[in-house]
Amino acid sequence: MSEKTQASSDIAFDRPGKQQGYLRVPHSHNTAGWGSVQIPMTVVAHGSGPTLLALGGTHGDEFEGPVALMKLARELQPEAVRGRVIIIPALNLPAVLAGTRLSPVDGQNLNRAFPGAYNGSVTSLIAHYLTHVLFPLADIVMDIHSGGRSMVFYPCATLHRVPDAGQYARMLAAAKVWGARYVFIYADIAGEGLLPVQAEQMGKLVVTTEMGGGGECNPGVLQVAERGIRNVMIQQGLLAGEITTPPYPVETVAATEAGDYLAAGADGVYESFYEVGAEVQAGQALGQVHSVERPDRPPELVVARSSGILIGRRAIGVTGQGDNVATIARPVSA
Ligand SMILES: [Zn+2]
């Protein structure tokens, strides 16, 4: 996997102690011919132990991850750590600064850009650096997502059903200790090139989440995220201390069938009948799309095809045909 990358960093990953530096990604544009995107990165290393790569801001409109990780980066001191923690709170920095899912620099989705390309655009160069420099250093890859502007999730730790049974067991244990109400096993319904898939294929213990959404930084959800990061670090031996148990049972649910993901059948304004967390039945109407131009026409119903928990719903009113408006997750005995 060792390969030249155009992105680079001034951080010495093998040095103990705390370092604050940048991941520099070349970005030549009209007002800075020799410019670069400079993505803040903190490394805290002490003693022997695993390496955690903790990422937020893969999508720029999801804020619990960046806020929790900026706080961790300021507070974490080397003496508290056994191993190494590499923290990048705003991985897609241009997108986070713009508050947009996609990069304003090249219009790309960093979570569809993996493995990245040596000669790619800025987003692709970030992915390429992770694939070839940071993932090989890491034992644990944590990528903290929220629903973004377009989606609201019941806060959950998420994972794929990876084929390696040992890797899956370790990922499931980490997802459970994260301490959100749900552990959500999901399928990729919108394209390839995901960051966690790349890390999974490289054998990493991958921890991902969907913390709330709607483009905000929710105080209650932020608490879940901060507790989750700390719990996983303790579980993996990076921090001393006691795992904090949440004040509710943690249940495992799955949306692994295409029918679990429901899309709008027409353009219009989406009205969800339920809040996330609601229990719903197959055949039940979950919401409806109103035609703005033809309010005299009956709205187009969105009907559940499976029974379970409404784990995610659309957050933006204005909706296009094909936009995901509801996701149903079914309880599983994991
Ligand atoms: Zn996301």
Side-chain angles (χ1 to χ4, degrees):
M1 272 295 169
S2 125
E3 184 174 307
K4 269 182 70 181
T5 59
Q6 287 209 57
S8 61
S9 173
D10 48 0
I11 284 179
F13 291 103
D14 289 336
R15 191 195 301 161
K18 185 167 184 172
Q19 298 174 74
Q20 181 69 48
Y22 291 99
L23 164 56
R24 289 193 173 80
V25 185
H27 177 37
S28 178
H29 56 102
N30 284 336
T31 55
W34 292 359
S36 61
V37 172
Q38 303 200 2
I39 303 167
M41 175 159 56
T42 308
V43 177
V44 186
H46 177 71
S48 63
T51 293
L52 165 67
L53 174 63
L55 307 169
T58 298
H59 291 135
D61 58 353
E62 306 173 3
F63 297 105
E64 285 85 359
V67 170
L69 291 179
M70 285 188 281
K71 290 164 80 172
L72 179 71
R74 279 194 300 274
E75 290 161 11
L76 195 61
Q77 295 305 323
E79 350 17 296
V81 173
R82 293 173 69 90
R84 178 170 54 181
V85 185
I86 303 170
I87 306 167
I88 306 179
L91 183 60
N92 196 344
L93 183 78
V96 174
L97 292 174
T100 54
R101 179 175 180 85
L102 310 181
S103 172
V105 173
D106 55 21
Q108 279 196 38
N109 180 347
L110 179 53
N111 207 24
R112 299 291 184 276
F114 282 79
Y118 175 80
N119 261 327
S121 65
V122 166
T123 302
S124 179
L125 294 179
I126 297 170
H128 190 254
Y129 185 83
L130 263 73
T131 300
H132 293 283
V133 178
L134 295 181
F135 288 171
L137 293 175
D139 301 291
I140 308 141
V141 173
M142 180 186 284
D143 187 23
I144 306 174
H145 286 253
S146 301
R149 221 156 52 85
S150 69
M151 292 288 288
V152 171
F153 282 93
Y154 201 105
C156 50
T158 58
L159 75 158
H160 288 118
R161 277 206 173 108
V162 295
D164 183 304
Q167 184 186 17
Y168 180 67
R170 291 186 298 130
M171 284 169 53
L172 187 60
K176 284 180 176 172
V177 87
W178 181 270
R181 175 76 179 78
Y182 293 107
V183 168
F184 172 33
I185 302 167
Y186 71 109
D188 296 339
I189 55 146
E192 298 184 349
L194 278 76
L195 183 157
V197 171
Q198 180 64 39
E200 285 158 11
Q201 286 172 353
M202 293 171 70
K204 309 302 170 185
L205 194 175
V206 180
V207 183
T208 52
T209 71
E210 292 294 357
M211 297 273 97
E216 65 168 354
C217 181
N218 180 286
V221 177
L222 180 64
Q223 276 186 6
V224 177
E226 291 181 325
R227 185 178 65 208
I229 295 166
R230 185 174 174 279
N231 277 356
V232 170
M233 288 175 72
I234 293 169
Q235 182 196 46
Q236 298 301 319
L238 278 151
L239 276 185
E242 295 290 317
I243 286 169
T244 308
T245 309
Y248 43 73
V250 175
E251 266 183 83
T252 303
V253 295
T256 46
E257 307 297 325
D260 299 329
Y261 299 85
L262 299 163
D267 293 347
V269 172
Y270 183 65
E271 171 195 2
S272 181
F273 296 156
Y274 303 101
E275 191 45 276
V276 289
E279 279 188 42
V280 300
Q281 302 297 320
Q284 185 176 343
L286 302 181
Q288 55 189 359
V289 184
H290 299 265
S291 169
V292 182
E293 297 95 335
R294 292 299 304 272
D296 54 307
R297 286 186 177 164
E300 170 128 349
L301 287 172
V302 173
V303 177
R305 280 176 277 173
S306 45
S307 302
I309 306 294
L310 181 67
I311 196 85
R313 65 159 172 86
R314 184 162 174 81
I316 299 175
V318 173
T319 296
Q321 185 187 43
D323 291 349
N324 176 245
V325 291
T327 301
I328 310 295
R330 288 162 285 106
V332 290
S333 53

